[in-house]
Amino acid sequence: MGRKKSAGAPRPAVPRRSRLLAAAVCAALILAGAIVWLRRPQTIELPYLTARNAAVMDVSTGRFLSEKDADAPRSPASLTKLMTLLLVLDDIESGVLGWEDTFTVTPAEAHTLGSKYGMRPGEVFTVRQLVAGAVMVSGCDCIQSLVKLCAPDEAAFVERMNQKAAQLGMGGSHFANATGIDASGHYMTARDVARLARALVREHPEILEFTAAPSLEIGGRAFQNIHRLVGRDSRVKGLKTGTTTIGGFSVCTYAEMDGRRYLVVLMDSTSDSTRFAETLTVLDLLAEKG
């Protein structure tokens, strides 16, 4: 006769209190997941844009919500200065540079190509004033002055820019100068501009003290923000414009609404007014999606 299989020891009963606790934990996790999903920014379908390249990012997650030829390299014009400013603020944070350190303008800075704040040889600027001039009026003269304070020369600074780009995963970008003047081998993608801007506002939120102000007066010097949506639309906290013959009219905009933060990058729009009008259109779409 074969042996009967043992039924085994009976399983201990799970106390009712433990079962209720486990059920409550599961319900809480499901609810939390649902809330996260509902608050997750939805993708949007971009309307017709004259901008040849576009990227829309949720700053908190780094997720791209929409894009248009976002990986095509373009001449970035003064959007380049976002990288220059990131490195300058890195140096301030590390103590290499101080906000009240000063720079005496030489003819080289005063005669820099591109948009200018309007320096004169012999004038003395603080780092805070130079950052304001670079951010708000896109002063190439301010940028070149900051470069001189941070590196032996522009070539050494540009090497740092490309190293930082690699660290940020900006595989579609390469820098040849610190100001954004059109040059061979100088390009960025809309996706990389968004990645760079996200790093800037997250690592150095103090930049918003400059970008979000319609105007500033620092040490007797006046600065007017050339990002035309700042002060006009409460959602917009500014960031950077860029314009060159080859690069066209570009803009990277940082905005806050309903507890969320967004970056809208438009590159090579048809005109100055168009890039801002199209930015507002994208922000309105984001607001509708919630």
Side-chain angles (χ1 to χ4, degrees), residues 175-195:
F175 299 102
N177 58 63
T179 57
I181 297 296
D182 291 331
S184 176
H186 189 89
Y187 53 86
M188 295 179 73
T189 66
R191 190 185 307 280
D192 282 353
V193 172
R195 287 173 174 152

Side-chain angles (χ1 to χ4, degrees), residues 11-176:
R11 294 182 181 179
V14 178
R16 183 171 183 272
R17 183 176 179 181
S18 297
R19 294 199 304 271
L20 290 175
L21 179 60
V25 170
C26 287
L29 290 174
I30 293 171
L31 179 60
I35 291 173
V36 169
W37 174 257
L38 289 172
R39 287 190 58 78
R40 185 185 184 194
Q42 302 298 304
T43 56
I44 61 170
E45 183 175 348
L46 291 175
Y48 170 77
L49 299 172
T50 66
R52 294 180 63 181
N53 315 89
V56 182
M57 177 194 273
D58 170 56
V59 174
S60 297
T61 63
R63 178 172 172 250
F64 285 92
L65 307 179
S66 196
E67 55 191 71
K68 173 186 177 182
D69 292 334
D71 296 310
R74 298 211 61 78
S75 181
S78 287
L79 298 184
T80 300
K81 296 180 174 108
L82 293 171
M83 177 60 84
T84 306
L85 289 163
L86 177 59
L87 294 179
V88 168
L89 293 176
D90 280 350
D91 284 353
I92 292 174
E93 183 178 53
S94 68
V96 172
L97 201 60
W99 284 108
E100 301 310 316
D101 288 353
T102 59
F103 180 81
T104 302
V105 180
T106 73
E109 291 79 49
H111 300 142
T112 298
L113 295 176
S115 54
K116 298 183 180 69
Y117 173 74
M119 298 174 160
R120 293 188 296 273
E123 285 189 300
V124 178
F125 283 76
T126 66
V127 168
R128 190 178 300 277
Q129 290 168 333
L130 293 173
V131 169
V135 172
M136 301 187 73
V137 302
S138 200
C140 291
D141 45 4
C142 296
I143 285 289
Q144 290 292 5
S145 301
L146 288 166
V147 166
K148 291 285 182 65
L149 288 169
C150 296
D153 53 35
E154 187 174 8
F157 192 87
V158 168
E159 186 175 349
R160 285 183 61 191
M161 294 171 72
N162 285 311
Q163 290 172 351
K164 189 72 171 183
Q167 292 172 12
L168 295 175
M170 297 168 55
S173 300
H174 186 269
F175 299 102

